[in-house]
Amino acid sequence: MFSRRVCGILRNLDARFVFYSTGFVAESGCGIVELPRKLKRSKRKPWVTSINELKRRARLEKKERILVQEATLSPPENGLLVKALVPVAHQVLSARTELFSCASKVANRIPIQYCRLCGEVHVGNIPHKIRTCYVSGSQKSKEHTWERGGLEHILPIVKSFHLYDRLERAVSHNERLEVDRIPAIVELCIQAGVDMPEYPTRRREFPVYRVAGRLMDFEKRFPKDETSAKDINGFGFWKSPREFCPVLKCQDVASDDVKGLAVRGMEAWENMRSGACKLMQKYAVQTCGYCPELQVGPKGHRVRQCQAFKHQMRDGQHAWQEATIDDLVPPVFVWHVRDPRNGILVDALKRYYGKLPAVVELFAQAGARAGENYTSLMREDVVVPDLEEVNLVI
């Protein structure tokens, strides 16, 4: 028993750090990974594409502008849909609906708690005793001040401006109150082929071309006396007809079978993330390098609302870069409770505990099995010592 504990600690010491958008993970040859941590506010998110590759693309675009010639674009850069990804977009939206439905019903059985000072989330009946509340106004002991949370704490919704035409100019600062903001993953599905009457979008029948770095649209335009957006309701996000919440759409899930709900919810979570990854390989999504702002489309918006690190140097504009799946669907990492019936987590043993995304932890406590991707994060192969044995572990 003691040798297993020592082996678990020694494997944690041999780690190589690999950075991601929502934190960093350390990988080792033994399969043990370090727990995700938040980036500092002064640190920029890691680039998905290297700087040298971005410079190379910029040089090619500059040469293309000098050589006045027509460049043929492939979908979706030419305004047409990728037909193979239209069913994937519908599957992602359906999985999101089922995920929210299952999570809302499981959350009625397993409580969700959050710290009202720092916002840390815990899933389980007994809040943990780990002292990691370092914000201003916290207690001297750095213990959390817990309150009852809800679905929005484990499944935060990142919103994006809805674009009627994804190839037109970006949303300006003066238009920020005139354009609807909807969940970014819903906007991604709309641009990928899902039609929603309340959020219309332009579907081209003929492709656009790039000539000297500019997009040329040869499709027939509407007459001047008739606006192209006549079917769009002119409401802003502050008075939208309804908040886009798919919880009440899926009624065929039995609320009595908690384990069945958890299994279906876990599958929906994996299907939503895997499907969104496929869509993001073709449909560009931009994120700010310093704040969680997101914009689905080939370029970011021009709204000056960034308040992150050195925003004064950018005049409040966002530092746009390529987004990852963790920016589109941010996982809220919580401490993993191995035994929900007797799962008291203490501060002295926090180095032996694992972490999981909050929604995965919720379904895991309800009886679902976490995927293989989370096995190393759970750290269930490391034996947690007793309090009197901590000083004996090397």
Side-chain angles (χ1 to χ4, degrees), residues 130-233:
I130 301 175
R131 298 190 291 268
T132 54
C133 190
Y134 297 106
V135 298
S136 60
S138 60
Q139 305 178 25
K140 293 183 179 180
S141 61
K142 303 304 178 183
E143 293 184 358
H144 297 278
T145 305
W146 298 106
E147 291 185 358
R148 188 64 180 266
L151 204 62
E152 66 277 5
H153 294 99
I154 64 173
L155 288 172
I157 298 178
V158 180
K159 293 189 176 182
S160 170
F161 284 108
H162 171 60
L163 303 180
Y164 175 70
D165 189 353
R166 64 187 304 271
L167 296 184
E168 288 187 354
R169 62 180 179 82
V171 178
S172 64
H173 183 74
N174 295 331
E175 296 174 341
R176 66 189 185 280
L177 301 180
E178 301 176 1
V179 183
D180 290 322
R181 287 178 64 87
I182 63 176
I185 191 170
V186 178
E187 174 65 16
L188 178 64
C189 295
I190 292 176
Q191 293 188 15
V194 177
D195 295 325
M196 292 187 177
E198 60 269 31
Y199 300 112
T201 185
R202 181 181 178 184
R203 306 295 186 194
R204 285 184 171 85
E205 298 181 359
F206 303 96
V208 300
Y209 300 89
R210 180 180 293 170
V211 179
R214 293 186 178 183
L215 294 179
M216 307 297 294
D217 190 359
F218 298 103
E219 194 176 61
K220 292 183 179 180
R221 309 298 296 176
F222 291 92
K224 293 184 178 181
D225 57 346
E226 182 179 354
T227 176
S228 60
K230 64 178 181 178
D231 295 330
I232 301 179
N233 296 326

Side-chain angles (χ1 to χ4, degrees), residues 61-132:
E61 292 179 359
K62 185 177 180 180
K63 293 181 180 179
E64 181 183 344
R65 296 190 190 99
I66 298 176
L67 301 175
V68 182
Q69 61 182 7
E70 178 182 315
T72 304
L73 303 177
S74 58
E77 285 80 7
N78 59 2
L80 303 181
L81 294 175
V82 182
K83 296 183 179 180
L85 293 180
V86 175
V88 178
H90 285 83
Q91 293 173 6
V92 170
L93 201 60
S94 177
R96 181 179 183 269
T97 301
E98 187 172 7
L99 171 65
F100 273 80
S101 180
C102 295
S104 63
K105 295 179 181 179
V106 175
N108 295 331
R109 303 292 185 88
I110 300 176
I112 301 171
Q113 306 184 51
Y114 77 102
C115 178
R116 63 180 178 87
L117 298 178
C118 68
E120 178 159 341
V121 182
H122 180 75
V123 178
N125 294 305
I126 306 176
H128 67 73
K129 303 296 182 181
I130 301 175
R131 298 190 291 268
T132 54

Side-chain angles (χ1 to χ4, degrees), residues 13 33 39 52 59 86 99 108 130 136-137 158 175 205 213 222 239 255 266 314 318 322 332 342 344 347 379 382:
L13 297 178
V33 299
L39 288 174
N52 294 333
R59 289 193 294 267
V86 175
L99 171 65
N108 295 331
I130 301 175
S136 60
V158 180
E175 296 174 341
E205 298 181 359
F222 291 92
K239 54 180 180 179
S255 58
M266 191 77 74
R314 305 188 302 272
H318 298 280
E322 186 180 353
V332 181
N342 188 20
I344 302 178
D347 185 72
R379 285 188 173 178
V382 178

Side-chain angles (χ1 to χ4, degrees), residues 118 237 270 348 350 378:
C118 68
F237 62 87
E270 296 295 339
K350 63 181 179 182
M378 297 169 68

